[in-house]
Structures are given as C-alpha cells and as structure tokens.
Amino acid sequence: LNFRGAGAAAKLGHFIDALPGVYLRSDRDGVIREANGSVQEMLGCSAREIVGTPAAALYPDPDRRRTLLARIRDEGGSLRQEGVELRRPDGTLLRVNISAGTIADGSACDGGTEALIRDVSDRHAFERTSQETEARFRDFAAAASDWMWETDPSHKLSWLSESFAVRAITPPDEILGTALWESISRGRNADTRSAELKALMENGQPIRNFRFSIGGPDGKQLWRRLNARPVYDPEGNFGGYRGVTSDISATMEAEHRFESLVASIPDMIFVHRNDRIVFANPAMVSAMRADGPEHFIGMDTLEICHPDARDAVRQRRERQQHGDVVESHNLVHLQRCDGTEFYGESTIANIIWEGE
C-alpha cells in the first residue's frame, strides 16, 4: 500500500478506520496516541476518550501487557493472533485476539507499539459451550445404560463409549477395528442376523430397532437392540455410522414369558402395534380357522371384523387414538378366514412389546 505523496495522511486515516477491528497506537511510555473509530463499538468509548490513557488500563492484569511486550521482543518485533482478555472502561470483560508490532518509523511513537484487536468473544463462548457440551455428552455416555459407538467409512468400529466396557461382554480392544456385523456374530449361540445387518450398512440404510442375540459367558442368550444412522460430511461424503446399542434381555425374557402364558389360554389374544397385528396366540388361530399365526402378522385389526362392523370399530379406534375414554369391553362382530361369522367380547389393554 502506498500512502506517500499528497493526501497520504488522509488515505492512511481512511484505511485505519476501515480495518476489521480496533487499531491502537501507543508511544514508548505505553500511552495511547491514536485509535480508530472501531473502539466505540468494541470498547464502548470514543477514540477521543481513549487517546491519552495508558494502554495497560485495558488489561485486567497489568502484567499481561508486560508479558505481551516481552513476547513481541522475543518474536523479533511482531506478534500475531495472541488471545487475551481486555477490560472495557465500564469494567466489563471481552475476549480478543491481538496482532501487535514495535513501531520504528521515527515518529513520536517510535519504540512504542501498534496493535490490531479483534473481538472473539462470540467464538470463545461458542468454543467454551462446545467443550461443555462435549463434556456433558461424555458424562451421559459414561452413565447411560446403553452404549454408543461410531464406525469409520469402511464400517469398522472406531469409537465406543465408556459404558461399553462396563456393560458389554467383549473387551473394547477386541472389538475396535472390526466391522459392526462381525461384532454381533461372536460368542456361543451366535446370531445369524449379521448378514442382514451387513446388507443394511453397505446400502447406507438407517438401522431401526434391529434386534439380535449373542451368547453370554455363562451360555445364557442375551438380547440387544441396535439403532443407528449413516453420517455424511458437508460435501456429502459418507463418514460411517453413529448408533446406540441397548441391552433388552429383560424385555425379551418378559415377552417370552408372555408368549408362553398366552399360548395356554383358551381365549383369543393378539397384540397389535399401530393397528397392525404383531402376535396371535394358538387360540386365535383355532377360533379364526387360520393356517397359523403368521396369517395374521401385519394384518390390519379391522380385517378380522365382519364388514358390517368395521365402521363402528374404526370410529372407536380413532376415538381411542385421540385420547378419548372408550369402553374396555365391547361386543364385536367377527369374521373367520373361511367367511363364517361369530360374536366375541373384546378387552383392550396397553402393554410393552419389543420395548415399546
């Protein structure tokens, strides 16, 4: 930049005022002799008010400025992007980056210091918040009953939360670096669903409520539920998976007890989720004259009703979904698989099924 010749001082003044930050020029005694207009926004005072005051007054700790001056000397006369804390005239503090150098131009400030100061309070607050958020996340991860994990783009486990070492049966160092689907096929009574999991991951599909079993150290079958999603960087490049694994052994044991119990009950019992049947006991198979329980899986509950009764059942179901109180016992007109019809009394109750 050439600020020589006619109007040089004015050009330099315009340039200094346009700088993206506060410009301060102090003499050898540390007294501020020049400041640009940005001091009003950053420090809350005008350039006229700050000129003639000691630069050390801007520092909560005067020793900090002496340290900076020593750093400038040690760095050969200049210092770039030093993070410090300054104090405004009203006493409030702000975080800034300072780039400074020794003045050697033969002026009245020769031997003094000029500095460009940028306010980084927002960035500092963001970084501090990010650090606190990360620490909070790690605390939750360590205390959670589930364990979290990440894979790299080749689907190999690259990170495990601390809770894994406490709640899993395989040491972390034995599982890190292996493909996720390989990790679920280890141990006795190994589950065969690893191929299905591999297909999901290689196709980049979200993984929801994926249940699998593994053999425990005592030979007992343990059940896990896995939920995960693929992760992409801002450019759209695949970065791996992040997910959570839960121990659902107690839930599965309760479900198996439920299935064993209802298998011996002579009444028709079925379980439905979102109005789709997910379980039917032997008594229902027999009463409806179906080939087996699989006949009902995925079926809308309205389909077991006689066509003449479906509108009334649908209305009652909608009222229940909206939170209205409906009768727990109802006489229902049903239709068997062979087309014959009969009446039955229905009783509805909410239960936990597959953890939901």
Side-chain angles (χ1 to χ4, degrees):
L1 294 173
N2 182 9
F3 294 114
R4 297 178 181 176
K11 290 179 182 178
L12 179 60
H14 290 315
F15 174 75
I16 290 175
D17 279 335
L19 287 172
V22 167
Y23 174 80
L24 296 180
R25 187 177 172 93
S26 57
D27 61 21
R28 183 185 295 270
D29 296 325
V31 178
I32 298 173
R33 296 302 180 187
E34 187 178 341
N36 68 350
S38 297
V39 295
Q40 182 70 56
E41 181 180 354
M42 186 184 298
L43 300 179
C45 61
S46 67
R48 181 177 298 179
E49 290 173 318
I50 202 172
V51 168
T53 64
L58 292 174
Y59 295 83
D61 180 4
D63 289 337
R64 186 70 175 97
R65 183 171 189 272
R66 287 192 286 271
T67 301
L68 280 177
L69 293 175
R71 289 279 310 280
I72 292 173
R73 290 194 299 270
D74 294 342
E75 296 291 334
S78 66
L79 185 68
R80 292 176 57 83
Q81 299 293 321
E82 180 76 7
V84 300
E85 194 172 54
L86 295 184
R87 179 173 55 202
R88 297 184 179 94
D90 65 3
T92 58
L93 302 177
L94 75 158
R95 190 75 179 181
V96 301
N97 278 350
I98 293 182
S99 296
T102 302
I103 300 172
D105 59 2
S107 68
C109 289
D110 191 86
T113 306
E114 60 181 349
L116 180 62
I117 305 171
R118 299 193 184 204
D119 185 354
V120 294
S121 299
D122 291 342
R123 186 173 69 188
H124 181 69
F126 172 77
E127 291 173 351
R128 184 174 63 250
T129 301
S130 296
Q131 292 169 355
E132 292 173 352
T133 300
E134 182 178 357
R136 188 179 299 114
F137 166 77
R138 294 193 179 279
D139 287 342
F140 280 129
S145 58
D146 305 331
W147 53 90
M148 288 163 272
W149 47 265
E150 292 181 356
T151 70
D152 60 21
S154 62
H155 306 302
K156 293 181 179 179
L157 285 162
S158 57
W159 176 79
L160 296 166
S161 64
E162 293 181 14
S163 54
F164 177 88
V166 178
R167 296 172 177 85
I169 62 173
T170 305
D173 57 350
E174 291 185 15
I175 200 171
L176 284 170
T178 64
L180 183 64
W181 55 79
E182 293 176 357
S183 71
I184 74 169
S185 64
R186 296 184 171 196
R188 288 172 290 178
N189 303 321
D191 196 87
T192 58
R193 298 200 67 198
S194 58
E196 183 179 345
L197 180 60
K198 179 180 179 181
L200 286 172
M201 297 183 72
E202 290 185 337
N203 288 318
Q205 298 296 310
I207 303 169
R208 299 185 181 93
N209 199 29
F210 185 90
R211 299 191 301 170
F212 61 94
S213 64
I214 58 175
D218 58 356
K220 184 178 179 181
Q221 191 176 37
L222 304 176
W223 285 91
R224 305 286 188 253
R225 180 177 61 220
L226 190 151
N227 288 282
R229 65 179 182 86
V231 179
Y232 298 89
D233 65 18
E235 287 72 39
N237 299 311
F238 176 68
Y241 274 82
R242 289 178 186 159
V244 178
T245 301
S246 308
D247 183 352
I248 58 169
S249 299
T251 300
M252 293 298 296
E253 184 177 347
E255 288 181 10
H256 291 157
R257 287 200 304 268
F258 170 82
E259 292 177 3
S260 298
L261 175 64
V262 300
S264 60
I265 293 177
D267 296 324
M268 292 172 50
I269 295 179
F270 65 93
V271 178
H272 65 90
R273 181 195 292 124
N274 299 324
D275 303 319
R276 296 285 174 178
I277 296 174
V278 296
F279 169 81
N281 75 335
M284 180 171 182
V285 173
S286 176
M288 297 295 292
R289 298 175 184 172
D291 294 332
E294 62 279 353
H295 173 84
F296 300 102
I297 305 305
M299 179 184 291
D300 191 306
T301 54
L302 290 176
E303 293 184 45
I304 67 174
C305 301
H306 191 277
D308 295 342
R310 290 176 185 173
D311 284 342
V313 174
R314 183 185 293 107
Q315 292 174 12
R316 186 164 60 247
R317 188 169 72 181
E318 291 174 352
R319 286 166 49 207
Q320 187 179 30
Q321 290 171 346
H322 284 87
D324 296 339
V325 177
V326 298
E327 303 83 0
S328 58
H329 297 273
N330 295 278
L331 188 65
V332 184
H333 191 183
L334 302 173
Q335 180 172 280
R336 297 184 179 93
C337 297
D338 61 6
T340 58
E341 56 189 272
F342 69 105
Y343 286 86
E345 184 183 64
S346 70
T347 301
I348 302 173
N350 292 323
I351 65 170
I352 295 176
W353 185 266
E354 294 184 348
E356 300 178 6

